[in-house]
């Protein structure tokens, strides 16, 4: 049985394969093109396994971060600035092909869903279980790419 995260990554693959218009997939106030958005989502999923480049201070993660995580998980959706890069991550390549970008996303999702070891702390939310990360990553994808939720 596929997780919601795998389902969304599959929809992204199908979307890119059918060459849909970027405006159909992206959030209206998106800061990036579709390739950059896919790269950004792939980065955060991959980093939950490999480790994020930089974390917010411990006190922040234990207070504001935990509260934000609880709110997002209880609401089933998130709101965050769509131009927020992952601190310390390599820049997003605006010229990377869509097929390469969706490949990065698919690879990151596969790595995450098959990972059986401990996950790394999120830079804002701190420690997350695999199930929490699955839900948070899915919400993150849908916020950036609402067209996938309609797919």
């Amino acid at each position: 049985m596929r997780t919601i995260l795998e389902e969304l990554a599959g929809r992204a693959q199908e979307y890119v394969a059918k060459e849909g218009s970027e405006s159909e997939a992206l959030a209206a106030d998106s800061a990036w093109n579709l390739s950059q958005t896919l790269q950004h989502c792939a980065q955060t999923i991959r980093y939950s396994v490999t480790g994020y480049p930089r974390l917010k201070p411990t006190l922040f993660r234990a207070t504001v971060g935990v509260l934000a995580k609880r709110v997002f998980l209880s609401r089933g959706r998130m709101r965050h600035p769509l131009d927020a890069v992952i601190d310390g991550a390599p820049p997003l390549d605006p010229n990377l092909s869509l097929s390469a970008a969706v490949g990065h996303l698919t690879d990151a999702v596969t790595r995450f869903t098959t990972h059986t070891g401990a996950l790394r702390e999120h830079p804002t939310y701190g420690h997350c279980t695999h199930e929490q990360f699955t839900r948070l990553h899915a919400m993150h994808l849908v916020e950036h790419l609402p067209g996938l939720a309609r797919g």
Side-chain angles (χ1 to χ4, degrees):
M1 185 165 133
R2 287 170 41 142
T3 67
I4 185 64
L5 195 54
E6 291 168 310
E7 180 65 31
L8 290 168
R11 288 181 192 171
Q13 283 180 311
E14 292 167 8
Y15 184 83
V16 168
K18 77 172 187 163
E19 298 181 4
S21 85
E22 290 197 15
S23 63
E24 292 173 344
L26 290 170
D29 53 347
S30 182
W32 303 312
N33 67 32
L34 182 55
S35 174
Q36 290 169 297
T37 302
L38 292 167
Q39 292 169 60
H40 168 74
C41 292
Q43 282 178 336
T44 194
I45 294 167
R46 186 178 333 99
Y47 288 147
S48 62
V49 174
T50 63
Y52 290 83
R54 293 195 190 106
L55 301 177
K56 300 255 188 232
T58 303
L59 182 61
F60 182 92
R61 292 191 314 269
T63 56
V64 175
V66 166
L67 180 61
K69 175 173 68 173
R70 285 184 187 151
V71 168
F72 294 157
L73 289 170
S74 68
R75 288 184 182 167
R77 69 181 193 285
M78 69 170 53
R79 280 299 281 156
H80 77 296
L82 296 181
D83 62 350
V85 297
I86 299 168
D87 193 21
L92 305 170
D93 180 355
N95 300 312
L96 185 69
S97 73
L98 284 177
S99 60
V102 81
H104 290 315
L105 177 65
T106 303
D107 290 347
V109 168
T110 298
R111 186 169 186 179
F112 172 79
T113 57
T114 60
H115 184 73
T116 58
L119 295 169
R120 306 304 292 262
E121 272 196 73
H122 186 275
T124 301
Y125 313 137
H127 173 75
C128 297
T129 66
H130 203 282
E131 192 267 335
Q132 288 172 330
F133 257 134
T134 298
R135 292 178 57 210
L136 291 163
H137 288 322
M139 285 183 252
H140 186 240
L141 270 165
V142 168
E143 186 178 5
H144 279 282
L145 299 160
L148 296 183
R150 295 186 291 265

